[in-house]
């Protein structure tokens, strides 16, 4: 994994001839049976060029069998400031894990 | 993953908050990674933007001295390897620009700083590649020094930079080996080939040592960068590590390192080396190296010559979008 997806600053011009080429996030399936995984980003004018750029930049050494490119602006993310509110409550819910429950040894694996 | 709304704007007044800065430093001290939308002091952000973008520019400008020899490589094997290496450098530049963009700058801004001469890049790329042996010396010494610099950056406190460096380091090791193989072939060749290899070592040795930056006593950014764990070792420590690793490799080639003061300290096991000409370093960094103007002019020309391609691609994309909208209506 490498560069994080981020959309250009709000004041940056987007996609005009004198401005910036849109940003895309790149995901690679390393081999069949695995999920696509985020590897970085590329700039490209459209989806076909984004795929081409992703292929050139991120798969020079047999890194994968399938590529996804997604417009960076299409990603909705949680705010890091909400980390505690969103994720800490699960810390106390230990009864969601199998090890919380006691099963006699003689019953065997369950 | 991050959205536009989450990007901290530059100059946030909160940034000077002593309490937040202390909390930030505590995270660094605990060896936590900082991610793009986490709060960070403005100076940390600026330092990283400067360092990562200079690193990216160095990869891009670094394509030029080697690109100079692609059409004249002595065999198809060498040519294919050199092409792959130069292509890697382009890729490394792009990974790094992407990492810098997570800090709230655009690649266009950063490239603009390079093209106007405002941004610096590694001074080593302002030296010319005069013979084929220079391609060997660059792979062996310049990429060797770069790897020495970059391996500790894989543990840099800023997540996106560290992740880019992991990928880059994985790809770089072929660069150094292909360079050393070129040197070995020349060193074992005819007297003229061996002399060519020696000449390349003579010219690239000192500039390679300068790649680690000014001595610790003069380095402006070292202290802060170490405290923030952007850097893990000082310039002088890395330089010494490089010399210790490289001298035995030169001995194996049967080539002489152009330093009469070079000798092994039996007590420490380190190789002591002579004084570096820092005046030359500053001169090249300030723009007066052998190739500064040529390098910048080449990048400016590439940017200007490629403008119509970028414009055409954007115009085509806009036209396709308009057609899709019409078809949907």
């Amino acid at each position: 994994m490498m560069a994080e997806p981020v959309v250009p600053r709000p004041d940056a011009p987007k996609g005009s001839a004198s401005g910036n080429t849109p940003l895309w996030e790149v995901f690679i399936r390393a081999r069949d049976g695995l999920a696509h995984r985020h590897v970085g980003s590329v700039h490209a004018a459209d989806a076909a060029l984004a795929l081409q750029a992703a292929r050139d930049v991120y798969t020079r050494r047999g890194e994968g069998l399938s590529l996804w490119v997604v417009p960076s602006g299409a990603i909705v993310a949680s705010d890091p400031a909400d980390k505690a509110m969103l994720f800490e409550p699960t810390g106390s819910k230990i009864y969601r894990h199998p090890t919380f429950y006691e099963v006699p040894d003689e019953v065997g694996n369950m | 993953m991050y959205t536009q709304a989450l990007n901290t704007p530059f100059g946030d007044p909160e940034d000077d908050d002593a309490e937040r800065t202390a909390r930030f430093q505590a995270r660094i001290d605990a060896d936590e990674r900082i991610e793009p939308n986490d709060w960070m002091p403005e100076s940390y952000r600026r330092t990283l933007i400067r360092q990562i973008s200079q690193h990216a520019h160095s990869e891009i400008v670094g394509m030029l001295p080697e690109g100079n020899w692609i059409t004249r490589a002595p065999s198809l094997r060498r040519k294919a390897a050199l092409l792959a290496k130069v292509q890697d450098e382009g890729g490394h530049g792009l990974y790094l620009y992407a990492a810098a963009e997570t800090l709230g700058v655009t690649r266009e801004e950063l490239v603009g700083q390079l093209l106007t001469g405002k941004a610096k890049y590694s001074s080593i790329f302002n030296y010319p590649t005069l013979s084929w042996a220079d391609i060997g010396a660059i792979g062996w010494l310049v990429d060797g020094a770069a790897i020495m610099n970059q391996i500790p950056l894989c543990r840099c406190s800023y997540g996106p930079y560290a992740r880019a460096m992991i990928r880059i380091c994985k790809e770089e090791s072929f660069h150094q080996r292909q360079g050393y193989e070129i040197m070995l072939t020349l060193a074992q060749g005819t007297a003229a080939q061996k002399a060519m290899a020696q000449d390349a070592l003579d010219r690239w040795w000192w500039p390679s040592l300068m790649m680690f930056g000014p001595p610790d006593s003069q380095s402006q950014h070292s202290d802060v960068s170490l405290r923030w764990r952007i850097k893990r070792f000082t310039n002088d420590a890395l330089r010494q590590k490089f010399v210790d690793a490289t001298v035995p490799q030169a001995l194996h080639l049967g080539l002489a390192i152009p330093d009469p003061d070079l000798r092994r300290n039996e007590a420490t096991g380190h190789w002591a080396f002579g004084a570096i000409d820092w005046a030359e370093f500053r001169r090249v960094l300030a723009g007066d190296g052998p190739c500064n103007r040529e390098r910048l002019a080449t990048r400016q020309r590439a940017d200007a010559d490629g403008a119509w391609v970028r414009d055409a691609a954007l115009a085509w994309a806009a036209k396709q979008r308009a057609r899709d909208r019409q078809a949907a209506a």
Side-chain angles (χ1 to χ4, degrees):
Chain A
M1 298 289 284
M2 46 140 327
E4 288 303 311
V6 136
V7 172
R9 286 162 60 186
D11 56 347
K14 267 172 136 181
S16 69
S18 57
N20 301 327
T21 311
L23 191 64
W24 304 73
E25 299 310 321
V26 180
F27 299 80
I28 297 179
R29 185 200 295 286
R31 44 173 213 278
D32 288 334
L34 295 181
H36 285 75
R37 188 175 176 196
H38 182 247
V39 292
S41 29
V42 292
H43 287 271
D46 60 29
L49 289 173
L51 263 184
Q52 182 66 52
R55 181 254 182 203
D56 289 345
V57 177
Y58 292 103
T59 65
R60 290 194 301 279
R61 287 175 175 81
E63 283 87 343
L65 301 174
S66 164
L67 275 172
W68 286 352
V69 289
V70 179
S72 301
I75 291 170
V76 181
S78 67
D79 187 333
D82 295 338
K83 225 180 324 196
M85 180 186 79
L86 289 172
F87 307 116
E88 264 173 27
T90 69
S92 59
K93 295 178 172 50
I94 52 173
Y95 44 84
R96 285 177 175 167
H97 299 277
T99 46
F100 180 76
Y101 302 94
E102 291 202 18
V103 175
D105 285 347
E106 52 271 32
V107 175
N109 267 339
M110 189 178 281
Chain B
M1 298 186 184
Y2 309 90
T3 70
Q4 196 162 308
L6 293 176
N7 276 348
T8 322
F10 278 26
D12 187 338
E14 299 265 355
D15 288 351
D16 294 318
D17 187 322
E19 198 191 306
R20 291 179 103 174
T21 303
R23 240 184 296 148
F24 173 83
Q25 189 63 48
R27 290 190 62 194
I28 299 269
D29 294 344
D31 234 352
E32 280 183 37
R33 291 292 177 273
I34 307 301
E35 293 295 341
N37 290 298
D38 292 347
W39 185 87
M40 61 186 83
E42 225 13 60
S43 42
Y44 177 82
R45 181 190 303 277
R46 273 199 304 269
T47 302
L48 277 169
I49 290 174
R50 192 195 59 230
Q51 179 169 337
I52 301 172
S53 61
Q54 287 180 5
H55 197 159
H57 301 328
S58 301
E59 301 282 356
I60 298 297
V61 178
M63 297 166 82
L64 302 177
E66 291 181 292
N68 185 32
W69 281 89
I70 290 174
T71 57
R72 295 175 286 168
S75 70
L76 193 55
R77 180 179 185 271
R78 296 286 189 216
K79 186 177 191 160
L82 184 57
L83 257 177
K85 179 179 189 297
V86 172
Q87 194 188 7
D88 272 355
E89 307 300 1
H92 297 174
L94 295 178
Y95 307 156
L96 288 163
Y97 283 128
E101 282 187 301
T102 65
L103 291 158
V105 283
T106 63
R107 189 175 70 180
E108 283 79 358
E109 280 175 72
L110 299 174
V111 170
Q113 291 169 2
L114 172 68
L115 296 180
T116 53
K118 205 180 136 206
K120 299 245 184 297
Y121 54 86
S122 182
S123 61
I124 193 89
F125 301 118
N126 289 316
Y127 291 88
T129 42
L130 303 177
S131 78
W132 170 251
D134 287 13
I135 300 305
I138 287 180
W140 171 38
L141 300 174
V142 176
D143 287 87
I147 291 169
M148 212 57 103
N149 255 327
Q150 288 172 168
I151 284 177
L153 287 174
C154 296
R155 293 188 294 130
C156 161
S157 61
Y158 188 58
Y161 192 27
R163 289 190 286 276
M165 292 320 305
I166 289 170
R167 196 180 176 97
I168 289 172
C169 284
K170 240 196 271 176
E171 299 183 349
E172 291 267 10
S173 75
F174 120 68
H175 298 179
Q176 192 185 14
R177 289 171 66 108
Q178 68 91 35
Y180 193 74
E181 194 194 84
I182 291 171
M183 294 302 273
L184 193 62
T185 306
L186 291 170
Q188 291 171 346
T190 63
Q193 286 170 326
K194 189 167 179 183
M196 193 197 272
Q198 182 64 56
D199 169 62
L201 172 56
D202 290 348
R203 282 180 292 107
W204 289 96
W205 175 253
W206 291 107
S208 298
L209 295 196
M210 294 174 195
M211 281 178 70
F212 296 92
D216 296 347
S217 54
Q218 292 169 28
S219 180
Q220 310 165 28
H221 306 297
S222 250
D223 286 351
V224 175
S225 289
L226 286 169
R227 182 153 52 79
W228 281 334
R229 300 202 185 171
I230 295 172
K231 288 174 73 160
R232 297 265 174 173
F233 298 98
T234 68
N235 296 352
D236 286 338
L238 287 169
R239 188 166 15 245
Q240 184 64 55
K241 231 171 135 175
F242 173 74
V243 172
D244 290 342
T246 310
V247 171
Q249 295 164 357
L251 293 173
H252 185 82
L253 292 172
L255 299 177
I257 286 180
D259 179 358
D261 296 325
L262 189 75
R263 49 183 57 80
R264 191 160 184 271
N265 181 331
E266 292 303 332
T268 62
H270 292 302
W271 287 87
F273 50 94
I276 294 172
D277 182 359
W278 291 112
E280 175 182 323
F281 174 75
R282 283 190 295 272
R283 201 165 54 240
V284 177
L285 205 60
D288 275 329
C291 299
N292 295 56
R293 287 169 201 81
E294 190 190 320
R295 298 291 185 239
L296 204 56
T298 306
R299 284 315 310 158
Q300 287 163 345
R301 200 167 52 243
D303 187 69
D305 289 353
W308 72 270
V309 179
R310 296 190 297 275
D311 289 348
L314 288 168
W316 169 256
K319 194 162 117 184
Q320 289 304 110
R321 273 196 307 275
R323 273 190 192 157
D324 289 350
R325 267 198 305 273
Q326 216 164 29

